[in-house]
Amino acid sequence: MTIPAQTSGATLTKDAAPGETLLKVTGLQKHFPIKKGLLQRQVGAVRAVDGIDFEVRSGETLGVVGESGCGKSTMGRLITRLLEPTAGKVEFQGKDITHLGVGGMRPLRRDVQMIFQDPYSSLNPRHTIGTIVSAPFKLQGVQPEGGVKKEVQRLLSVVGLNPEHYNRYPHEFSGGQRQRIGIARALALNPKLVVADEPVSALDVSIQAQVVNLLDDLQSELGLTYVIIAHDLSVVRHVSDRIAVMYLGKIMELADRDLLYKTPMHPYTKALMSAVPIPDPARKSAKSERILLKGDVPSPIAPPSGCRFHTRCWKATQICTTTEPPLKELRPGQQVACHHPENFEDQAPQDVVLLTAAKEAAELVSEEALAESAATSAAVAAEVAEAQSTDAESTEAESTGSESSEAKSAKGKSSEAESSEGESTATESTESESTETESTESESTETESTESESAEVEAEAAEGTASDDDRPSAESSDEEPPAKGK
């Protein structure tokens, strides 16, 4: 198998690495209005898609399954922007494309293509195959190397058709061949994302296998990313990496392929899985484990309150009628929107009284299936409790270790503080000793000055005494002459 030649021209975004998020959908809604009367006033709305969230990673295949009328095809047309969303957000490689106009969407058409459900009505009967497959090149203004005709013939050979069919008309081909022509047209510009809306539902079993294998081969060679919408659960299991289960405009469960088929969590998913026939002659005489659902799918014009599936569920309680369960991840790789999931612990254990409709629905479920559901739910609950206790013990051990490390650090800090206090005390004592030494020196200096002053005073006193001793002799000499005159 040959690979289509790369076309020239600018692209909208850069290529995403394998595993990175290519498409992200948040709160996507599409309500078709119902109008009546002369003035065509809106009296209601068909809630075809009513708030869905999911991501598609580069290089993977996301399968979408559900009953007829659940909104699968509408969702595919919304993410390719063939329909205008009522609300929500669609991001392609980080770029918001929710409300892009015709001019803004034209470059994006090179990266996002769609394979339509009906291979008979999706091809114009008045155009030849060459004109149909070459239309993307003309609309995008791309000129392939070697010419458009050569590139179209190469694409026909890629999908397993004869290049000589270039000038034939669609009515000259079978259903499988027409679907191959639609695939060739979708691959003309080498897109990053291909939305396949039930590509094999109108084909017989042998042609289905050929188309499915063709899609697998093209993905491995061209690195395509698929969103495949289908009814056949066996086909979806064969081609998908992850699977989303839709019911009445909502995603009930989104999980990896193996987890979904081995341990489905939502009751609706379990009912779908029980409808898959098992080609085993030994099980022919065994009792059927098929889970039959009560009643029909409610109208999307007036969907039930709370959980959309509670009118047909055999596990529905009062909380299911009032509170809508969010789509949350209960197990790595498995998200479910249910208050009472299968193969997992109950998310609303306080609500145990079944509704009347649930009791009636449980009558259609075999006792073996109910017993298995209860046993697996109890076992999973025990495993979850054990895991939580183990996590709690590890958390306590970590907290104890952190406390001991904090105590050690506190002790180290206290010893450092004590050593610093000892050093400060030693410094203060040294300073006091030096102060005492200085005071002693000053006292000795004062003592010496006092002694010198006392010595000077004594010297002066001695000199005064000596002068006093000389004075009487002078006085006596003065007194003697009068005595002589007598």
Side-chain angles (χ1 to χ4, degrees):
M1 183 178 295
T2 58
I3 300 176
Q6 299 290 334
T7 57
S8 60
T11 57
L12 181 66
T13 55
K14 296 181 180 179
D15 292 340
E20 293 184 355
T21 300
L22 183 69
L23 178 71
K24 183 177 181 181
V25 176
T26 307
L28 189 61
Q29 296 182 4
K30 181 59 181 178
H31 298 170
F32 294 98
I34 301 174
K35 298 180 180 180
K36 288 185 179 180
L38 183 62
L39 300 178
Q40 290 294 300
R41 292 179 179 176
Q42 182 175 346
V43 296
V46 178
R47 300 173 180 268
V49 176
D50 200 15
I52 58 176
D53 304 295
F54 65 92
E55 294 181 355
V56 182
R57 295 186 285 267
S58 178
E60 77 165 354
T61 300
L62 175 67
V64 182
V65 298
E67 295 182 62
S68 297
C70 68
K72 304 185 302 297
S73 298
T74 304
M75 181 268 295
R77 292 175 177 269
L78 287 173
I79 62 179
T80 55
R81 284 303 319 282
L82 296 178
L83 290 176
E84 183 71 17
T86 303
K89 190 176 182 180
V90 180
E91 297 180 25
F92 183 76
Q93 287 189 326
K95 181 180 178 63
D96 189 0
I97 64 171
T98 310
H99 300 293
L100 286 181
V102 178
M105 283 301 300
R106 187 172 294 276
L108 183 69
R109 298 299 179 195
R110 300 187 58 181
D111 296 329
V112 180
Q113 288 291 323
M114 188 168 185
I115 302 172
F116 295 94
Q117 177 177 357
D118 190 359
Y120 295 91
S121 62
S122 61
L123 303 178
N124 193 332
R126 296 179 177 86
H127 292 172
T128 63
I129 301 306
T131 305
I132 292 173
V133 180
S134 63
F137 298 111
K138 296 178 181 179
L139 293 175
Q140 293 290 334
V142 176
Q143 184 65 29
E145 296 181 2
V148 175
K149 182 177 180 180
K150 184 178 180 181
E151 182 66 20
V152 170
Q153 290 177 339
R154 180 181 300 177
L155 287 169
L156 293 177
S157 64
V158 164
V159 297
L161 295 176
N162 195 332
E164 297 178 358
H165 295 164
Y166 181 86
N167 291 319
R168 291 189 180 183
Y169 287 87
H171 71 273
E172 301 180 52
F173 295 91
S174 65
Q177 290 175 326
R178 291 188 186 191
Q179 196 64 281
R180 290 170 182 267
I181 295 169
I183 295 174
R185 179 178 57 184
L187 299 178
L189 298 174
N190 194 18
K192 299 182 181 70
L193 175 66
V194 176
V195 179
D197 185 10
E198 301 189 21
V200 296
S201 61
L203 309 177
D204 55 51
V205 178
S206 60
I207 303 301
Q208 282 185 8
Q210 294 177 11
V211 174
V212 167
N213 293 332
L214 173 63
L215 293 175
D216 282 343
D217 294 339
L218 292 175
Q219 183 179 33
S220 60
E221 294 183 8
L222 303 178
L224 299 175
T225 303
Y226 288 138
V227 175
I228 295 183
I229 301 167
H231 282 105
D232 195 338
L233 295 174
S234 59
V235 172
V236 172
R237 184 175 187 177
H238 178 70
V239 301
S240 301
D241 298 314
R242 293 188 302 145
I243 300 174
V245 180
M246 289 190 65
Y247 180 82
L248 210 60
K250 289 280 189 178
I251 292 181
M252 298 287 103
E253 188 169 357
L254 177 60
D256 294 337
R257 174 186 57 191
D258 296 334
L259 288 175
L260 188 78
Y261 278 85
K262 290 181 180 178
T263 56
M265 284 190 177
H266 201 281
Y268 178 64
T269 308
K270 187 170 184 179
L272 287 181
M273 295 298 115
S274 68
V276 178
I278 300 175
D280 188 2
R283 298 172 58 91
K284 183 177 180 180
S285 59
K287 187 177 180 179
S288 175
E289 298 177 0
R290 170 78 182 273
I291 298 177
L292 300 176
L293 296 179
K294 173 181 173 292
D296 297 327
V297 180
S299 173
I301 300 175
S305 61
C307 178
R308 301 289 174 93
F309 187 62
H310 82 265
T311 57
R312 307 173 71 191
C313 181
W314 63 91
K315 301 182 72 175
T317 58
Q318 185 62 34
I319 192 175
C320 300
T321 63
T322 58
T323 306
E324 182 178 352
L327 182 67
K328 62 181 180 179
E329 188 173 14
L330 299 183
R331 185 182 297 166
Q334 192 165 12
Q335 304 177 40
V336 64
C338 184
H339 295 296
H340 309 290
E342 299 279 336
N343 300 308
F344 202 77
E345 63 176 345
D346 202 332
Q347 299 299 300
Q350 72 281 358
D351 202 354
V352 295
V353 180
L354 293 177
L355 299 176
T356 304
K359 295 178 181 179
E360 295 176 357
E363 295 177 357
L364 301 177
V365 183
S366 63
E367 296 181 359
E368 291 80 3
L370 294 176
E372 181 184 0
S373 173
T376 52
S377 299
V380 173
E383 292 179 0
V384 172
E386 183 179 357
Q388 290 178 353
S389 62
T390 305
D391 294 339
E393 292 176 357
S394 61
T395 305
E396 291 178 358
E398 291 177 358
S399 61
T400 305
S402 62
E403 290 177 358
S404 61
S405 61
E406 290 177 358
K408 291 181 181 179
S409 62
K411 289 182 179 179
K413 291 180 179 179
S414 61
S415 61
E416 291 178 359
E418 291 176 356
S419 62
S420 61
E421 290 178 358
E423 292 177 357
S424 62
T425 305
T427 304
E428 292 176 357
S429 61
T430 305
E431 292 177 354
S432 61
E433 289 178 358
S434 61
T435 306
E436 292 176 357
T437 305
E438 292 177 356
S439 62
T440 305
E441 291 178 355
S442 62
E443 290 177 358
S444 61
T445 306
E446 292 176 357
T447 304
E448 291 177 357
S449 61
T450 305
E451 291 178 354
S452 61
E453 290 177 357
S454 60
E456 291 178 358
V457 171
E458 290 177 356
E460 291 178 357
E463 290 179 357
T465 305
S467 60
D468 291 339
D469 292 341
D470 293 339
R471 285 175 186 171
S473 59
E475 292 178 355
S476 61
S477 61
D478 293 338
E479 292 176 354
E480 287 178 354
K484 287 180 178 180
K486 291 177 179 181

